[in-house]
Amino acid sequence: MNFLSIILAAIIMNNSLLLNEDNILLNASLMKTESQWRIVNDGVMGGLSSSKAIVKDDKIIFSGNVSLENNGGFASLRSPIKDYNFEMFSGIEIKIKGDGKRYSISMKETTYFNGCFYTTSFETKKDEWIVVQIPFDQFKLFYFGRETNSNKKIPLNNIKEISVLIGDKQAGSFNAEFDYIKTY
């Protein structure tokens, strides 16, 4: 095998690695396995919000009610805790049919709850499928829901959990349908 053939084979192998489903973080198939995402609501802090995630027609429906009572105000859908390495990617892509509300996506670098998350928000369009691409450099460090003055960048080689959240005092019912969340 000559040098040019080796280079061409390496390029093809690299491209096939980028195009396989390893960059899928959430889809209907994953929700049917041990890698399914789970619900975490403000009840962990005394709040009264409720939510659920179900698979229907190969989509994930995340719905519920955000309550501001008892200092509550959020509902979230969270990935399994494991070692994610996003160094080879530029950001997160989400295909979502929303309800016109604002959602956020967060990542954290610990396996325990310490209040620190790298977060950014995005808007949905009511009853319309959209694809949202969020570059990693748009994520800011938040501590217990408040943006810090830190310029610390996401440790892309050391992410332990990803979550989708609705909060920001958006009380009432919500409904978001996900086709996928992946890295790009």
Side-chain angles (χ1 to χ4, degrees):
M1 190 179 258
N2 66 28
F3 182 71
L4 186 56
S5 297
I6 293 171
I7 296 294
L8 186 57
I11 290 170
I12 290 169
M13 284 176 42
N14 185 44
N15 285 340
S16 68
L17 289 174
L18 292 176
L19 295 175
N20 70 20
E21 288 200 349
D22 287 345
N23 62 339
I24 297 290
L25 301 170
L26 175 67
N27 66 12
S29 295
L30 283 174
M31 283 298 282
K32 297 176 184 175
T33 71
E34 71 280 351
S35 295
Q36 66 183 323
W37 288 35
R38 70 197 186 290
I39 296 292
V40 177
N41 297 325
D42 57 17
V44 298
M45 299 164 29
L48 301 174
S49 298
S50 62
S51 68
K52 64 182 178 179
I54 62 168
V55 176
K56 183 178 178 187
D57 300 327
D58 288 330
K59 305 292 186 254
I60 298 105
I61 299 171
F62 175 47
S63 62
N65 186 66
V66 173
S67 171
L68 302 181
E69 293 182 46
N70 290 356
N71 295 315
F74 77 87
S76 68
L77 181 60
R78 298 188 184 188
S79 73
I81 294 174
K82 61 183 192 178
D83 294 320
Y84 297 94
N85 186 340
F86 298 148
E87 287 183 302
M88 300 296 292
F89 302 98
S90 300
I92 300 285
E93 180 176 300
I94 304 165
K95 185 172 181 184
I96 183 172
K97 180 166 71 171
D99 50 13
K101 294 190 176 188
R102 184 177 52 261
Y103 291 80
S104 61
I105 187 154
S106 299
M107 292 180 264
K108 69 177 190 167
E109 60 183 306
T110 61
T111 58
Y112 54 89
F113 182 76
N114 68 357
C116 291
F117 290 86
Y118 298 89
T119 303
T120 192
S121 296
F122 60 94
E123 301 288 333
T124 63
K125 294 184 180 180
K126 186 170 178 60
D127 299 325
E128 185 178 324
W129 282 105
I130 60 171
V131 174
V132 179
Q133 285 193 330
I134 306 167
F136 288 128
D137 63 6
Q138 287 186 6
F139 286 77
K140 304 286 185 202
L141 182 60
F142 281 71
Y143 182 68
F144 286 104
R146 295 183 186 211
E147 187 174 350
T148 68
N149 290 327
S150 174
N151 290 328
K152 186 177 178 191
K153 299 294 180 197
I154 300 174
L156 296 174
N157 64 340
N158 189 34
I159 299 299
K160 302 298 183 201
E161 183 181 68
I162 303 108
S163 60
V164 174
L165 181 134
I166 182 165
D168 294 329
K169 307 220 181 295
Q170 297 179 95
S173 64
F174 68 91
N175 189 72
E177 193 171 340
F178 293 89
D179 186 14
Y180 62 80
I181 298 175
K182 68 179 185 176
T183 52
Y184 72 90

